[in-house]
Amino acid sequence: MRRVFTLPDANPMTWAEFDDCVARVIAQLAGRRFNAVVPILRSGMIPASIIASKLDITSVIPVQLKYDYALNDVAVKIPPAVPVDMDCAAAMDILVVECNTSSGTTARAALRLLRSVFPKARFYYATIARVY
């Protein structure tokens, strides 16, 4: 059975609320150096771009996953697009960002995928969400 989502299910936020959430994440991450930012597409690209700009993160590694409600599973639609000059075997700090959070299933799948590509990396996770 396919679930039909309504506007209240989406828990929409205004741009002002979004800006405030992103600013709080940036403040919490200030002083840390990241080798890359990984936006979980599609919703993670806008906040990841803003955070990367503010924190001077120049490597962006997009990944897109799709949660299948019928199968209760996550499929990889776009695998990590690793920059050619990045050594995946090196120790590094990677910030993973998304904006569409509910159960954390997609984030956990993204982290499993990223750990297989970057086995020595430390991952930090940020989500932009309005608390309901």
Side-chain angles (χ1 to χ4, degrees):
M1 175 190 223
R2 186 176 177 109
R3 180 172 177 199
V4 177
F5 290 93
T6 64
L7 187 59
D9 291 325
N11 190 29
M13 67 172 67
T14 66
W15 281 109
E17 290 171 318
F18 177 83
D19 289 342
D20 182 54
C21 288
V22 172
R24 285 189 303 217
V25 168
I26 291 167
Q28 291 176 358
L29 297 173
R32 294 185 189 253
R33 301 294 303 160
F34 294 98
N35 301 89
V37 64
V38 176
I40 299 177
L41 302 179
R42 297 172 320 218
S43 66
M45 193 63 191
I46 292 172
S49 297
I50 296 167
I51 292 167
S53 176
K54 296 289 186 185
L55 297 180
D56 197 29
I57 305 169
T58 58
S59 292
V60 179
I61 306 168
V63 62
Q64 186 173 9
L65 303 149
K66 176 66 176 159
Y67 182 77
D68 186 323
Y69 289 93
L71 299 175
N72 192 30
D73 194 23
V74 179
V76 177
K77 292 188 76 170
I78 300 173
V82 180
V84 295
D85 62 344
M86 184 171 280
D87 178 6
C88 295
M92 63 182 80
D93 291 338
I94 298 175
L95 177 62
V96 180
V97 180
E98 75 172 330
C99 192
N100 186 9
T101 307
S102 58
S103 67
T105 303
T106 302
R108 285 190 297 276
L111 289 168
R112 278 193 304 275
L113 175 62
L114 291 165
R115 283 189 185 104
S116 72
V117 176
F118 302 100
K120 293 183 181 175
R122 284 183 299 210
F123 295 97
Y124 299 80
Y125 174 75
T127 185
I128 308 301
R130 183 172 148 215
V131 178
Y132 19 149

